[in-house]
Amino acid sequence: MRVPLSWLRELVDLPAVTAHEVADKLTAAGLKLESVTSYGDDIKNVVVGEVLEVEELAGFKKPIRHCRVEVGEATPREIVCGATNFVAGDRVPVVLPGGVLPGGFEVGARKTYGRLSEGMICSERELGLGDDHDGIMVLPADTPIGTDVVELLGLRDDVIELEITPDIGYALSVRGVAREAATAFGVDFHDPAAVEPPQAQGIAWPASIADPTACDRFVLREVTGFDPDTTSPLWMRVRLTRSGMRPVSLAVDITNYVMLELGQPLHAFDRSKLTGGIVVRRALPGEKLETLDHVVRTLQPEDILITDESGPISMAGTMGGLHTEISAASTDIVIEAAHFSATGTSRESRKHSLVSEASKRFERGVDRELPLAASWRAVQLMVELGGATAAPGVTHVEVEVEPARIAIPVDHPGNVAGVSYSRETVIRRLEQVGCTVVDGAFPALRKGGVDPTGVVSGGALAARLAVTGDDMITVTPPSWRPDLTDPNDLAEEVIRLEGYENLPSMLPKAPAGAGLTEGQRLRRRVGRALAAAGYVEVLAYPFVGERDFDNLQLPAGDARRRAVRLANPLSEDEPLMRTTLLPGLLKTLVRNVGRGFGDMALFESGLVYRPRDGAPASAPVLGVDRRPSEEELASVAAALPRQPQRVAVVLAGEFERSGWWGSGRAANWADAVQAARLVAGEARVELGVTADQHEPWHPGRCAALYVGDTLAGHAGELHPRVIEAYGLPPRTCAMELELTVLETAMPGPAEAPPVSGYPVATQDVALIVPVWTPVADVEAALRDGAGELLESVRLFDVYTGAQAGEGNKSLAYTLRFRAADRTLTAEETTAARDAAVAVAADRVGAQLRGA
């Protein structure tokens, strides 16, 4: 909303303040400032002149005139001009040499078309008054010669632009902003709507309301003998332009001017084009209307229409119809002002992608009491400026609407703000907003209800009144504030008018608690550990489609194909909630590889959604008018899917980078398994690793990850078909592990192991085992056989060749032994090593290499 300061001063007795000071006050009151624009400050040396003589210059492709212009100096000025809409004797604005026009355009004396031109005669656009550039601006004949045009035409002005949020629709008018400015400065406000229209004598045009939910007040007035050739006065065109609207014609400009001034949209019908009585109703199936923008629109059943016997003539509150548009020949005009449904207008505007200045106001809420005053204001301007005659009748159709009343304790605003406001302050601020305040609460509220007249208090406030007997007031919001519907709305009005800057700055008291849960700590440790190991965390959308399950090569009966379907998906290609983290990670990997990053190690931690067996297909939709019962909450919980926390990684390209130090190492299935061990280590859980076949992994390079006897996840190299389906780099590896399983298996609080001060003893052992023997089984056997003295086991070499024998492999381990109370002897470490080898031989058939 753009508000010229000069217009604002007509409605408010502002002190001698600048536009920026006014803007600061409005900002402090809660209105959002966009900008402050100054007009006319850069215009210099523009005066009123009288054209004495006009000489037509021949020999040029366009009309050129040499004029002698009297500007109040000793001698007339000679000026060359290309406009032809003025004659000798006309008074015109003239920029003298050295003068400046808007935008910093300087004018000097120069020779052009063979004549000396000492200045320039100006059009409206050149003076910054509008878009009219068809000809020179001709001033009234009695305008004094030599007068400063800036002062004469009021060119110097400031415009305050505000961003109007949906809850303050009243500020989409100079009237609304002026009321806020008057309150902010503590000065008088002159309401332009405070007029008393004359007593009506009959009706202007027959009308009725067929649907009270669409419109509750409809007013028609009529003028006759309007002169359509009359142009809008300059002051009106300037105000419309600076308020962001384009002048069109006098009748249209008047309706737009009144809308900007009062906030009430108006519409003008050509009386000669109306047929029969007007009815406000909803659209019927198949109805169409060609609107003023020359678009034929197919109407929807919920659209609000203004109709006559010929059918729809206007989309109520949005845009008029072309058939009844006033034209250059319209002399009899019917003016319509109404109060339409805010939600109905909003839906109509959005369905048809038709946002107008009228719809912006109606959807935010228009003052229901304005139609009579606004329509009369428009009639007065048409009579005054267009030579029209006001018809004595007025059509006023309305549906009775009981005003809302809100009961609140007087100390409620103070309790919300944390500041003590006196009773007198609360009442005074509410009355400044326009509310009517009476003491006490209606009897029905003392029982915690809503009385038949529409008084609202809210159960908590009513209960508080019944128990404590608090000092209550009942507030009736003004008609121009339909947004005030709740006690907290009233509290906000008191707080903002008292000043947000006066609220104390206090940190909220932190409630006592135990900090993060063990599960939260685990997720943070896992994220830090993976990041330290070279992985980059990503956050993918939790949505997938059937195509992702196909790309993962999941069989038809796989549980991961059973997914929760979204009621309103962002994309029809991904209407399901994910049952695995891999699709999002793989798509992120593909996107990065496509942009030239082929060596990637990514991880994500998040929820997956696995429907429960026997759960209902959809959750029940509960109302918001009360707290759900325990049974209703249980029914919602039963429909929710199981949501375990998981972590997954994907690897492609080099895991250890190549460089000047030598060649790197490509990521392989072992790195994916190691990532799982890294995660399990943060949970202090031992992870069992066994060979497995599980989609989407390669059947020969897939490991199942166990915590005890519970399957926790899988790791390994992805299947070639999966790599091809997603377009992944060759030999891409992945791991997915369920953190919820690890969290359940976590031991108690970690205890630091005792640190031995005695030296370590190492023994190396190389074992020959069948090539198909899992390394994890060999390591487990060595651990069990070595006993308590074993500190760690590390595999440092794997050999397959002639010395190992056909079908065998050699595994070389380093065993570290240490005692807490003594230095181990060679005999003790050798015995422990032999015991470990014996258990390995018994379990997996291992033999010492070279034995």
Side-chain angles (χ1 to χ4, degrees), residues 303-346:
D303 291 344
I304 305 172
L305 302 181
I306 300 175
T307 67
D308 63 6
E309 291 182 0
S310 66
I313 59 175
S314 177
M315 294 176 67
T318 305
M319 184 173 286
L322 187 64
H323 174 66
T324 55
E325 176 189 21
I326 57 175
S327 63
S330 300
T331 58
D332 298 338
I333 297 174
V334 175
I335 300 171
E336 167 258 308
H339 185 259
F340 298 113
S341 163
T343 55
T345 307
S346 177

Side-chain angles (χ1 to χ4, degrees), residues 1 162-173 263 265 317-318 339-347 349-350 354-368 478-485:
M1 178 67 192
L162 302 169
E163 179 183 333
I164 307 303
T165 53
D167 61 324
I168 54 171
Y170 66 92
L172 279 172
S173 66
T318 305
H339 185 259
F340 298 113
S341 163
T343 55
T345 307
S346 177
R347 289 171 181 165
S349 172
R350 280 157 178 74
L354 188 61
V355 179
S356 64
E357 292 293 332
S359 69
K360 289 178 186 178
R361 288 162 173 80
F362 276 121
E363 67 184 12
R364 286 168 170 80
V366 172
D367 186 353
R368 186 178 179 275
S479 57
W480 58 83
R481 292 299 302 272
D483 58 298
L484 301 181
T485 60

Side-chain angles (χ1 to χ4, degrees), residues 719-732:
H719 197 288
R721 291 197 187 98
V722 176
I723 292 175
E724 181 182 1
Y726 276 103
L728 301 169
R731 309 297 291 270
T732 297

Side-chain angles (χ1 to χ4, degrees), residues 408-419 421 426 487 490-492 494-495:
I408 65 170
V410 170
D411 62 352
H412 181 61
N415 291 335
V416 172
V419 177
Y421 296 130
V426 172
L490 301 179
E492 182 182 1
V494 175
I495 295 168

Side-chain angles (χ1 to χ4, degrees), residues 758-761 789 817-819 821-829:
Y758 293 93
V760 65
L789 296 178
F817 299 95
R818 194 193 308 261
D821 57 349
R822 67 188 187 280
T823 300
L824 295 175
T825 65
E827 292 77 9
E828 288 177 304
T829 56

Side-chain angles (χ1 to χ4, degrees), residues 785-818:
E788 296 180 352
L789 296 178
L790 181 67
E791 185 176 76
S792 67
V793 178
R794 183 175 69 87
L795 175 69
F796 67 86
D797 183 58
V798 177
Y799 169 74
T800 56
Q803 296 182 19
E806 186 177 354
N808 295 329
K809 63 182 175 181
S810 171
L811 304 177
Y813 291 91
T814 295
L815 308 181
R816 292 168 56 93
F817 299 95
R818 194 193 308 261

Side-chain angles (χ1 to χ4, degrees), residues 28-111:
L31 278 69
K32 184 178 179 182
L33 177 68
E34 281 290 303
S35 63
V36 176
T37 306
S38 296
Y39 292 89
D41 290 336
D42 52 351
I43 302 178
K44 298 179 182 178
N45 211 12
V46 183
V47 299
V48 177
E50 180 180 358
V51 180
L52 302 179
E53 297 178 8
V54 177
E55 178 187 355
E56 304 288 346
L57 302 182
F60 300 101
K61 294 182 179 179
K62 59 181 181 179
I64 298 296
R65 314 170 88 194
H66 180 256
C67 310
R68 293 182 65 250
V69 184
E70 173 62 48
V71 293
E73 297 178 340
T75 59
R77 294 280 186 173
E78 296 184 7
I79 299 175
V80 175
C81 182
T84 59
N85 67 313
F86 63 95
V87 297
D90 285 344
R91 303 286 171 94
V92 294
V94 178
V95 187
L96 299 178
V100 181
L101 290 175
F105 179 70
E106 296 186 11
V107 177
R110 64 192 182 95
K111 191 171 183 180

